[in-house]
Amino acid sequence: MAADDTEFPILCETCLGENPYVRMTKESHGKECKICNRAFTIFRWLPGRGMRYKKTEICTTCAKLKNVCQTCILDLEHGLPVQVRDSALSIQDNVPRDEANRRDYLARAAGELETAGEQVDFSGRAQPAGREMLKRMARTEPYYKRNRAHICSFFVKGICTRGNECPYRHEMPRGDPELAKQNIVDRYHGNNDPVARRMLKRSADSAKKSSLASAPEDKSITSLFVMGMDASVTQSGLSEFFAPYGELKSIVVPPKGNCAFINYRNRSAAEAAAAAALDDGCVVGGKALRVVWGRARPKGPQSELQRPATAANGIPLPPGAAEDSAQYPSQDPTAMGAVRR
Ligand SMILES: [Zn+2]
Ligand SMILES: [Zn+2]
Ligand SMILES: [Zn+2]
């Protein structure tokens, strides 16, 4: 069975190039899709002057299932690696990796896509925090540089004799050894993608910095919220780290034990502790913990029981931190797509 027989490929703006009327050559059942191994229609085109020829690498069914470009395998809506998008939106990879199951899955999916006449919806399910994160990281303009000719390997070794005639780029690689380690199957399934991993880490780092650096305006807030604990982090370990910055009112560890509320008597102590955790990190019992500002308790006699405290505004609680008490989208632990899998 052929994977598809399409008139036009599914491509991102970048891969298509600047000229929307670009001429494409089409080769029916030209090659096997790199994901499902079925023969599919390959398109080839030149995305602009001085660029390299591009071609489709995966079939339209596989592309629709992940809402990715058939050539660069990046998400069509955000221009991001599948792993980044799926982390932010808490999407599980459900395309089987082993060949027999995958064939069944794709055959079924192809039928469904045909009757539905559209692609799988990847945007509606996002939690607010995940959506925010995607918006922050998304590439909104096409990035045509990505279509440039590859670097000339002879030039790099200083032995290219073709000069201006050389179809490859004559410059030294500046970049990214990580990119060479990417592989199309991992990128499609959204795991083990070194580039995605680095993007997620950078995003988490900057979120961490800004959440601690900006102390809440409400000066009555004198609490910090600690996440990422396990059994090696004890209450006395916490107090050893936090007591030097000022008098502690209490340290509260909710039953699940993977987070803690550090409550100071006064604001300046909390600020000093926040600054220390920001500068040198917070390591207790050998574990690097994430620290954010606490938030004002909601008014009302019973709400205090229901919601002991939450992380600073916009910073979602970690998985399991307050699952039972989540009431608003911003408190939803699943919103932290970056760590939820
Ligand atoms: Zn395919
Ligand atoms: Zn593309
Ligand atoms: Zn050359």
Side-chain angles (χ1 to χ4, degrees):
M1 183 182 74
D4 61 30
D5 194 18
T6 26
E7 285 309 308
F8 200 79
I10 299 170
L11 296 173
C12 71
E13 271 186 86
T14 298
C15 287
L16 193 57
E18 274 167 292
N19 176 8
Y21 305 108
V22 63
R23 267 194 57 197
M24 297 196 172
T25 63
K26 174 179 166 183
E27 189 187 344
S28 292
H29 313 312
K31 233 179 191 165
E32 286 185 353
C33 164
K34 290 196 169 127
I35 303 303
C36 68
N37 305 332
R38 295 179 301 171
F40 77 111
T41 304
I42 292 201
F43 291 87
R44 289 187 179 79
W45 69 100
L46 191 63
R49 281 184 53 195
M51 304 296 176
R52 67 174 188 271
Y53 270 91
K54 305 207 92 172
K55 66 178 196 321
T56 49
E57 308 282 353
I58 68 174
C59 72
T60 49
T61 304
C62 287
K64 283 178 188 167
L65 282 176
K66 294 281 186 182
N67 198 31
V68 293
C69 169
Q70 277 183 267
T71 296
C72 67
I73 328 296
L74 295 173
D75 173 70
L76 285 169
E77 195 183 334
H78 309 95
L80 294 169
V82 171
Q83 186 170 350
V84 171
R85 178 197 67 197
D86 289 3
S87 300
L89 305 188
S90 305
I91 294 174
Q92 303 280 344
D93 172 36
N94 47 17
V95 179
R97 278 200 179 227
D98 72 290
E99 186 142 5
N101 285 329
R102 194 176 53 208
R103 203 175 304 135
D104 282 359
Y105 182 88
L106 286 169
R108 232 175 321 128
E112 277 164 27
L113 287 170
E114 218 157 84
T115 40
E118 55 183 278
Q119 61 212 21
V120 184
D121 175 25
F122 279 97
S123 52
R125 327 173 194 168
Q127 298 288 347
R131 238 180 275 143
E132 262 315 297
M133 175 178 153
L134 280 186
K135 224 195 305 172
R136 229 175 26 238
M137 299 174 81
R139 187 180 275 289
T140 50
E141 296 287 315
Y143 183 60
Y144 298 121
K145 269 187 164 182
R146 214 171 60 208
N147 299 334
R148 285 181 305 174
H150 288 301
I151 286 180
C152 175
S153 60
F154 293 102
F155 175 81
V156 171
K157 291 182 219 145
I159 54 172
C160 181
T161 55
R162 290 191 279 188
N164 287 340
E165 304 284 286
C166 182
Y168 298 100
R169 246 155 73 214
H170 278 192
E171 57 184 72
M172 296 310 272
R174 250 181 303 132
D176 202 335
E178 290 280 279
L179 279 173
K181 292 186 225 150
Q182 282 189 301
N183 108 28
I184 202 165
V185 176
D186 285 343
R187 287 183 53 221
Y188 179 83
H189 287 283
N191 55 39
N192 250 325
D193 176 352
V195 173
R197 218 160 34 218
R198 200 182 43 197
M199 289 175 80
L200 287 169
K201 184 176 182 307
R202 208 181 293 146
S203 161
D205 284 353
S206 74
K208 181 165 123 193
K209 283 239 162 74
S210 61
S211 62
L212 253 191
S214 53
E217 302 225 329
D218 181 351
K219 298 283 182 198
S220 74
I221 295 172
T222 58
S223 299
L224 300 177
F225 182 63
V226 177
M227 294 176 266
M229 291 168 39
D230 61 17
S232 65
V233 182
T234 61
Q235 193 137 351
S236 67
L238 287 170
S239 114
E240 212 169 283
F241 181 92
F242 287 101
Y245 303 102
E247 192 189 342
L248 286 164
K249 194 159 73 184
S250 62
I251 293 180
V252 179
V253 181
K256 282 185 181 170
N258 51 6
C259 62
F261 304 99
I262 313 295
N263 305 311
Y264 284 101
R265 286 242 175 262
N266 58 56
R267 170 71 167 219
S268 59
E271 280 176 9
L278 182 63
D279 285 344
D280 301 318
C282 171
V283 179
V284 176
K287 192 117 179 81
L289 304 176
R290 186 164 167 227
V291 184
V292 298
W293 276 93
R295 190 156 64 178
R297 289 171 182 227
K299 306 258 178 321
Q302 54 151 4
S303 56
E304 194 154 319
L305 284 172
Q306 285 173 350
R307 281 176 280 148
T310 55
N313 216 352
I315 308 298
L317 298 179
E323 238 148 5
D324 304 330
S325 61
Q327 295 180 6
Y328 304 122
S330 65
Q331 290 175 259
D332 184 344
T334 61
M336 188 61 180
V339 293
R340 185 83 161 183
R341 278 253 103 192

